[in-house]
Amino acid sequence: MSRRARERRLEAEERWPNLFRFLVCYLDWREEFGSIEAALGRAISDWGLQERQLVLKEWRDWNNTHGWSEDVAAYVHDGLSVYVNFQTALEPDSS
C-alpha cells in the first residue's frame, strides 16, 4: 500500500468512522448479499436511525471534502475501502 493510500485510509477511519464501517461492512455485497439492494436492506435493518443519520452526515462531509476530486475513485478505494472499476477518473461525477 502506498503512502498516499495509507494516508487516505487513516483520514477516512479518523474523520468518517461510521461511514467507513458502513461501507466496509455492506459494500462487499457481491459475495455476501448477492445484490446491492440486499446489502442496503441488511444495512437498514442492522443500523438504527441515529446510526444511519451519522453515516449520512459523514457521507456529506466526505463528499464536500473529496467528492469534487478529479479522481474520486482513488479516494473511494484507498480511503473508504470500496473498489469500483470506473472506466475513467471522472465517471463517478457523470451521472
Side-chain angles (χ1 to χ4, degrees):
M1 178 183 293
S2 73
R3 179 179 177 184
R4 182 175 288 178
R6 275 193 308 276
E7 289 171 354
R8 288 177 179 151
R9 183 175 181 122
L10 288 172
E11 178 189 28
E13 289 177 350
E14 291 174 9
R15 288 186 64 182
W16 308 289
N18 295 291
L19 176 62
F20 180 82
R21 192 166 48 105
F22 181 85
L23 293 175
V24 168
C25 289
Y26 297 100
L27 284 191
D28 187 13
W29 56 269
R30 284 183 179 97
E31 290 181 24
E32 188 170 345
F33 301 104
S35 73
I36 192 66
E37 292 83 8
L40 290 173
R42 180 66 178 270
I44 289 168
S45 68
D46 286 353
W47 289 53
L49 178 60
Q50 288 181 324
E51 292 171 309
R52 292 191 314 262
Q53 287 172 332
L54 285 173
V55 169
L56 177 59
K57 181 178 183 279
E58 291 179 9
W59 168 252
R60 288 177 174 158
D61 184 54
W62 180 89
N63 197 40
N64 285 331
T65 303
H66 292 299
W68 55 265
S69 171
E70 287 187 22
D71 189 7
V72 71
Y75 286 97
V76 171
H77 180 255
D78 295 341
L80 298 172
S81 295
V82 176
Y83 180 71
V84 179
N85 189 16
F86 296 117
Q87 296 298 316
T88 68
L90 294 177
E91 184 179 342
D93 295 330
S94 65
S95 57

